Amino acid sequence: MVQGPTPRPLPKVLLFGILPVALWFVIRPLIDPIPPVPAIYTSIGVSLLAFLITIYLIPALGPTFVKANLKGRDLLKIYADPIPESQGLVVASVYILSLILFIPFAFTRLFTELANAKPSTEGISVLEFPHHQLSVYLSSIISLLIATFLGFLDDVFDIRWRHKLPIPIIASIPLLMVYFAERGNTTIVVPLPFRGLLGQLVDLGPLYYLYMIMLSTFSTNSINILAGINGSEASQALVIALSVIVNDLLYLPWAVGFRIPLHLLGSRADVEVGGLWGAGMAKGSQVLVERHLFSLYFMLPLVAVLTAFLYHNWYPARVFPGDTLCYLAGMAFAVVGIQAHFSKTLLLFFMPQIFNFILSVPQLFGLVPCPRHRVPRFDPDTNLLYPSKAQFLQHPSKLSSLVLHILSGLGLVELTTHSRDGSILETTNLTIFNFLLVRFGPMNEKRLNQLLITTQVAGSIVAFVVRYGLAGLVYDGDRR
Amino acid sequence: MVQGPTPRPLPKVLLFGILPVALWFVIRPLIDPIPPVPAIYTSIGVSLLAFLITIYLIPALGPTFVKANLKGRDLLKIYADPIPESQGLVVASVYILSLILFIPFAFTRLFTELANAKPSTEGISVLEFPHHQLSVYLSSIISLLIATFLGFLDDVFDIRWRHKLPIPIIASIPLLMVYFAERGNTTIVVPLPFRGLLGQLVDLGPLYYLYMIMLSTFSTNSINILAGINGSEASQALVIALSVIVNDLLYLPWAVGFRIPLHLLGSRADVEVGGLWGAGMAKGSQVLVERHLFSLYFMLPLVAVLTAFLYHNWYPARVFPGDTLCYLAGMAFAVVGIQAHFSKTLLLFFMPQIFNFILSVPQLFGLVPCPRHRVPRFDPDTNLLYPSKAQFLQHPSKLSSLVLHILSGLGLVELTTHSRDGSILETTNLTIFNFLLVRFGPMNEKRLNQLLITTQVAGSIVAFVVRYGLAGLVYDGDRR
């Protein structure tokens, strides 16, 4: 029998290289002159520490998880060794604890008082969040905790698919309650073509709450169903988190300003980035700067813990994420999208997930048979992955056949038909993985995940073009 | 083999009797004239609903827990059927969800706006908490969630005793962070005899944070070690919660005022309860009324879910609480003691736990051998419990012998000595249960738990006498 992989080694340089950098970032805002946004240094420092803790804690806790029966076999490998499951729990614990320990840095007059300094008078500076933001921050933490907890319960109790769907709804209740208590904004900006009809702003009222619930349900479940190969869950979440960070950075007060020449792409105006006074896209709005800082404070440590996890989860995986990780990441995205008010931009970063979800619909809603696992099929001899298939035990309905023939025409699935009457016998499973394998041919697991990452990155580039290029056609500068 | 008990039946009258009452309480504050504290009606209504949900959910989820290997044998019974463990998880989930759903009722202008009414102009009314209290409320929920989560992890991973101790410390971090961010009060009122030396108020500064950590560590662990017989965990928590509620009620604006004739007990003044203007012990202070309302909003649903749990956990137990329940309850008490600033009064309600802890010290710190289970010994023939014993495998040290002889002299333990040299061979285990069995003789499990409840109630009565009678000797009316 083939032996499974041993824990991935941790080079000493990691600890000795990153630790001093992390500590410098924590201390920097206390040194005069204090920067316009001191807490962002602390956030980077705390994130680096969270990275270190996670990357060391995961292999250390692995055996404990296996002993507690939180383990799984890697279905796409030749070895059968138990791999620790639900390690998203470690990721989530470190992540949430970082967020909690960060509270005094963002929400008190810590820096100004300790450094005994005056805020820089030039441009926008955020030395301290307004008070009511603390409640918003705390409600976000509660939602993340509940999402993690329910994700872990899912791992322990193995909750059925249909019972899982409401989990993000429960987890988003704290968000909604505090949003309501804080009299959060429920208006949306109407796209230009509809302004004659609806005016510039529309108050969605209770519908806005429904929208928030749907957003968290979507972001959570869409990551959870794009899963199954080594590294896929963390990779996609990592690319999305990095995309959100890049987007946030466009709104911050940088020391130097520059332009992204979007007129080359046909936009009416270039995107100005940075500039102390203008803070780039924030165009002088303190509120927009604060919103995107809020988002950054959630995304920076998320990137840190996901990277640390991915180090151990990369092909061949030493640990598995469990549903816990997907729920945590999905909820974190929903939180920033809702609280920092850029949910439409956020959804643009979810294009591969949206594609995967729409592609899955015929199987999720019973038009096409849905086996328990839809992961690609592993061929031990070649070490390659092939598209996995769903078999029709009964003759497919007319609607099913029609849908599958359309999907096949689009090159999204491969059908096996009866030699005589041409009826569909088998179809490749309706996931983005199987689509990629149909499109690009069999490949090994690592390459398939790299292809997924490429797709996700390409999606984010398109998202930025749409958001800052094409959106000018349907929205003016008014953002709330 | 003897068959274990089946789930305790749920009389229909429960549902049909309590549901309408619960709904009336939820609706009442919306009807003119709105009462001085409308949210307290909602809190009672929500608590009643939480009671119903818990009492129905626990037996429904039992098999799921057993299937997920969260089960245990009842060591003090003749049957060996698996009993669902960690049902504190259900209790905690319903409890925390109730607290979250309650947010809009306490922290928004919901009632005044919906009923379109003016607040009653007479006396103290709390129609809405001040804004910063929402952060405090949310941080308390985070602490409760973390305590529950870590308690559940303890149940799943079976964390070792020494590793458990820091759990309440981690859970109290959110409390401390927000206390710091909200610039919470770190001064204490100095007892009269020391005022010449220290002044009226002393600012403890960082020591106050240490005190908060110690309080949550103590309240959590002291309940966790007074455990092991059917109903004991929930019973003690229930009596403490009810004591806190009685104490809170002394500070509320009641429609009628009356006096408790404490001069009979030697106090300098009677305790005045109620009265719209005075709000009893609050003596006209809106802040004191708000603090005790805050406490009530945490204690009412706690009593509800604990009662529902106790229904199924009562001898012979159909379900077990797990560490989850102890952590939840302990943290809930720490939260109200800290946030509502009555930690000294709270500790008075913990007298049996303090007694049990002090009695346990020689075993916890290795002076006396400590077996894994210290629960009383069950005799299947008589169905009675006897004191369990710890054996000295080695000759006891002089210190151990001295301590045990003192404890024996006080009637707290029973020793077995060597017939010749008089050296100690065995001692009854150092817990309040074994002490009660030594003192009152063998009894069955149900009666032992009833005796524990009696002790706890007696302790609370003494606590009230000390707090409102004797405390006048060392404190004047100044309370912060």
Side-chain angles (χ1 to χ4, degrees):
Chain A
M1 202 172 113
V2 186
Q3 189 71 36
T6 51
R8 202 155 272 156
L10 292 166
K12 278 268 185 324
V13 64
L14 216 66
L15 185 61
F16 295 112
I18 294 177
L19 194 57
V21 179
L23 296 177
W24 183 84
F25 270 105
V26 172
I27 293 164
R28 168 64 190 89
L30 304 175
I31 303 166
D32 261 346
I34 56 165
V37 186
I40 208 167
Y41 290 84
T42 323
S43 180
I44 295 172
V46 169
S47 301
L48 289 173
L49 292 175
F51 168 82
L52 280 181
I53 294 170
T54 311
I55 209 166
Y56 279 91
L57 212 52
I58 285 177
L61 290 177
T64 315
F65 277 68
V66 171
K67 210 185 293 169
N69 211 29
L70 292 163
K71 61 187 178 189
R73 225 211 98 173
D74 196 331
L75 297 173
L76 309 180
K77 300 290 182 304
I78 44 173
Y79 46 82
D81 304 59
I83 310 272
E85 249 291 8
S86 314
Q87 291 279 314
L89 182 63
V90 183
V91 172
S93 305
V94 178
Y95 177 59
I96 293 172
L97 207 60
S98 314
L99 290 176
I100 292 173
L101 290 171
F102 182 64
I103 291 173
F105 300 97
F107 295 97
T108 66
R109 280 185 217 133
L110 194 69
F111 298 120
T112 33
E113 280 178 7
L114 281 183
N116 202 12
K118 281 172 201 151
S120 90
T121 45
E122 194 194 353
I124 293 176
S125 67
V126 182
L127 298 179
E128 178 196 352
F129 270 108
H131 215 77
H132 69 270
Q133 287 282 21
L134 178 54
S135 303
V136 173
Y137 188 88
L138 293 173
S139 71
S140 307
I141 291 179
I142 297 180
S143 284
L144 290 171
L145 260 171
I146 295 181
T148 304
F149 203 172
L150 293 174
F152 184 66
L153 291 184
D154 187 1
D155 285 335
V156 171
F157 291 110
D158 207 5
I159 303 171
R160 255 170 300 165
W161 186 79
R162 269 156 223 285
H163 294 167
K164 278 183 198 190
L165 280 179
I167 286 181
I169 300 177
I170 296 175
S172 55
I173 291 176
L175 283 185
L176 305 188
M177 290 294 137
V178 173
Y179 203 89
F180 179 77
E182 294 289 354
R183 302 166 162 262
N185 195 347
T186 54
T187 55
I188 55 162
V189 179
V190 178
L192 291 173
F194 301 104
R195 289 219 180 142
L197 206 64
L198 300 166
Q200 198 188 355
L201 292 174
V202 163
D203 188 353
L204 288 184
L207 283 181
Y208 195 85
Y209 289 85
L210 189 65
Y211 172 69
M212 291 194 275
I213 290 178
M214 283 169 58
L215 185 71
S216 42
T217 307
F218 171 76
S219 64
T220 303
N221 284 309
S222 68
I223 293 180
N224 210 18
I225 65 169
L226 208 169
I229 72 168
N230 288 177
S232 61
E233 300 86 348
S235 307
Q236 52 180 318
L238 192 56
V239 176
I240 296 172
L242 288 170
S243 308
V244 172
I245 288 177
V246 170
N247 185 53
D248 290 334
L249 292 179
L250 299 179
Y251 293 80
L252 291 200
W254 292 93
V256 279
F258 56 92
R259 281 157 179 269
I260 301 174
L262 270 190
H263 64 269
L264 300 179
L265 290 161
S267 174
R268 291 185 302 180
D270 291 356
V271 169
E272 279 183 69
V273 178
L276 269 178
W277 281 99
M281 290 300 297
K283 298 187 202 299
S285 155
Q286 173 105 9
V287 172
L288 276 184
V289 172
E290 281 171 1
R291 281 182 188 170
H292 286 278
L293 273 178
F294 188 94
S295 162
L296 265 186
Y297 296 156
F298 279 87
M299 287 297 114
L300 289 173
L302 185 66
V303 164
V305 292
L306 285 176
T307 310
F309 173 76
L310 200 53
Y311 181 79
H312 298 288
N313 181 232
W314 191 255
Y315 177 91
R318 269 68 167 180
V319 293
F320 290 151
D323 291 327
T324 318
L325 188 91
C326 303
Y327 283 113
L328 173 79
M331 202 65 213
F333 296 133
V335 159
V336 298
I338 291 169
Q339 308 284 33
H341 295 267
F342 58 84
S343 52
K344 291 194 296 298
T345 309
L346 179 72
L347 283 175
L348 287 175
F349 298 138
F350 272 79
M351 275 189 289
Q353 285 69 30
I354 295 173
F355 172 79
N356 185 59
F357 175 71
I358 294 174
L359 186 61
S360 298
V361 162
Q363 278 192 310
L364 295 181
F365 291 91
L367 268 184
V368 173
C370 187
R372 179 148 169 74
H373 290 288
R374 302 191 298 161
V375 286
R377 182 173 61 80
F378 173 62
D379 177 39
D381 297 327
T382 58
N383 198 31
L384 294 181
L385 299 184
Y386 291 80
S388 64
K389 292 182 177 179
Q391 288 184 319
F392 280 93
L393 299 175
Q394 293 168 335
H395 208 70
S397 72
K398 270 190 187 156
L399 182 60
S400 304
S401 298
L402 177 70
V403 168
L404 285 176
H405 279 299
I406 292 173
L407 292 176
S408 169
L410 294 168
L412 300 172
V413 297
E414 220 165 53
L415 304 178
T416 317
T417 49
H418 201 286
S419 54
R420 257 173 298 168
D421 63 359
S423 69
I424 301 170
L425 296 173
E426 281 183 339
T427 171
T428 55
N429 278 309
L430 306 172
T431 70
I432 195 170
F433 288 129
N434 291 304
F435 157 69
L436 291 173
L437 291 170
V438 165
R439 197 85 197 75
F440 298 98
M443 63 187 90
N444 77 23
E445 195 176 350
K446 185 176 167 185
R447 228 179 87 63
L448 182 58
N449 191 45
Q450 287 169 337
L451 196 56
L452 175 73
I453 296 175
T454 313
T455 313
Q456 193 86 43
V457 171
S460 286
I461 292 172
V462 173
F464 276 106
V465 172
V466 171
R467 171 64 184 81
Y468 294 101
L470 307 182
L473 303 177
V474 286
Y475 285 104
D476 54 13
D478 191 355
R479 310 244 152 259
R480 299 178 197 208
Chain B
M1 200 172 114
V2 185
Q3 189 69 36
T6 50
R8 202 154 272 154
L10 292 165
K12 279 269 187 319
V13 64
L14 217 65
L15 185 62
F16 296 111
I18 294 177
L19 195 58
V21 178
L23 295 177
W24 183 84
F25 270 103
V26 172
I27 294 164
R28 169 64 189 89
L30 305 176
I31 303 166
D32 261 346
I34 55 166
V37 187
I40 208 167
Y41 290 84
T42 323
S43 180
I44 295 172
V46 169
S47 300
L48 289 172
L49 292 175
F51 169 81
L52 280 181
I53 293 169
T54 311
I55 209 166
Y56 278 91
L57 213 51
I58 284 177
L61 290 178
T64 315
F65 277 67
V66 171
K67 211 185 292 169
N69 210 29
L70 292 164
K71 61 186 180 189
R73 225 210 98 172
D74 196 331
L75 297 174
L76 308 180
K77 300 291 183 301
I78 43 173
Y79 47 83
D81 304 59
I83 310 271
E85 249 290 7
S86 313
Q87 292 279 313
L89 183 63
V90 183
V91 173
S93 305
V94 178
Y95 176 58
I96 292 172
L97 207 59
S98 315
L99 290 176
I100 292 172
L101 289 172
F102 181 64
I103 291 173
F105 299 98
F107 295 97
T108 66
R109 282 188 214 130
L110 194 72
F111 297 122
T112 32
E113 280 178 7
L114 281 182
N116 202 12
K118 282 171 201 150
S120 91
T121 46
E122 194 193 354
I124 292 175
S125 66
V126 183
L127 299 180
E128 178 196 353
F129 270 108
H131 215 77
H132 69 271
Q133 287 282 21
L134 178 54
S135 302
V136 174
Y137 188 88
L138 293 173
S139 71
S140 307
I141 290 179
I142 297 180
S143 284
L144 290 171
L145 260 172
I146 295 182
T148 304
F149 202 172
L150 293 174
F152 185 65
L153 291 185
D154 186 1
D155 285 335
V156 171
F157 291 108
D158 207 4
I159 303 171
R160 254 171 302 164
W161 186 79
R162 270 158 223 284
H163 294 167
K164 278 183 198 189
L165 279 180
I167 287 181
I169 300 176
I170 296 174
S172 55
I173 291 176
L175 282 185
L176 305 188
M177 291 294 136
V178 173
Y179 203 87
F180 179 77
E182 294 290 353
R183 304 168 161 260
N185 194 349
T186 55
T187 54
I188 55 162
V189 180
V190 177
L192 291 173
F194 302 103
R195 289 220 180 143
L197 206 64
L198 299 167
Q200 199 188 354
L201 292 173
V202 164
D203 188 353
L204 288 185
L207 282 182
Y208 195 85
Y209 289 85
L210 188 67
Y211 172 69
M212 290 194 275
I213 290 178
M214 283 170 58
L215 185 71
S216 42
T217 307
F218 171 76
S219 64
T220 303
N221 283 308
S222 67
I223 293 180
N224 209 19
I225 64 168
L226 209 169
I229 72 168
N230 289 176
S232 62
E233 299 88 349
S235 306
Q236 53 179 316
L238 191 57
V239 175
I240 297 172
L242 287 170
S243 309
V244 172
I245 288 178
V246 170
N247 184 53
D248 290 334
L249 291 180
L250 299 178
Y251 293 79
L252 291 200
W254 291 93
V256 278
F258 56 93
R259 282 157 178 270
I260 302 174
L262 271 191
H263 64 269
L264 301 180
L265 290 160
S267 173
R268 290 185 301 179
D270 290 356
V271 169
E272 279 182 71
V273 178
L276 269 177
W277 281 98
M281 290 302 295
K283 296 188 203 304
S285 156
Q286 173 104 10
V287 172
L288 275 184
V289 172
E290 282 172 359
R291 281 182 187 170
H292 286 278
L293 273 178
F294 188 94
S295 162
L296 264 187
Y297 295 155
F298 279 87
M299 287 297 115
L300 289 173
L302 186 67
V303 164
V305 292
L306 285 176
T307 310
F309 173 76
L310 201 52
Y311 181 80
H312 299 289
N313 180 233
W314 192 254
Y315 177 90
R318 268 67 167 180
V319 292
F320 289 151
D323 291 327
T324 319
L325 188 91
C326 303
Y327 284 112
L328 173 79
M331 203 64 213
F333 296 133
V335 159
V336 297
I338 291 169
Q339 308 285 32
H341 295 265
F342 58 84
S343 53
K344 290 192 299 297
T345 310
L346 179 71
L347 283 175
L348 287 174
F349 298 138
F350 271 79
M351 275 190 287
Q353 283 69 31
I354 295 173
F355 172 79
N356 185 59
F357 175 73
I358 295 174
L359 186 59
S360 298
V361 162
Q363 277 192 311
L364 295 181
F365 291 89
L367 267 185
V368 173
C370 187
R372 179 148 169 76
H373 290 288
R374 301 192 297 162
V375 286
R377 181 173 62 80
F378 173 62
D379 178 38
D381 296 327
T382 58
N383 198 31
L384 294 181
L385 299 184
Y386 291 81
S388 64
K389 292 180 177 181
Q391 289 183 320
F392 279 94
L393 300 175
Q394 294 169 332
H395 208 71
S397 71
K398 269 190 188 156
L399 181 60
S400 304
S401 297
L402 178 70
V403 168
L404 285 175
H405 279 299
I406 293 173
L407 292 177
S408 167
L410 293 168
L412 300 173
V413 297
E414 219 164 53
L415 303 177
T416 319
T417 49
H418 201 287
S419 54
R420 259 173 298 168
D421 62 359
S423 69
I424 300 172
L425 297 173
E426 282 183 338
T427 172
T428 54
N429 278 310
L430 305 172
T431 70
I432 196 170
F433 288 129
N434 291 304
F435 157 68
L436 290 173
L437 291 169
V438 166
R439 196 88 198 76
F440 298 99
M443 61 187 92
N444 76 25
E445 195 176 350
K446 185 176 166 185
R447 226 177 91 64
L448 182 58
N449 191 44
Q450 287 169 337
L451 196 57
L452 175 73
I453 296 175
T454 312
T455 314
Q456 193 86 42
V457 171
S460 287
I461 292 171
V462 173
F464 277 106
V465 172
V466 171
R467 169 66 184 81
Y468 294 101
L470 307 181
L473 303 176
V474 286
Y475 286 104
D476 53 14
D478 192 354
R479 309 245 154 260
R480 299 176 199 210

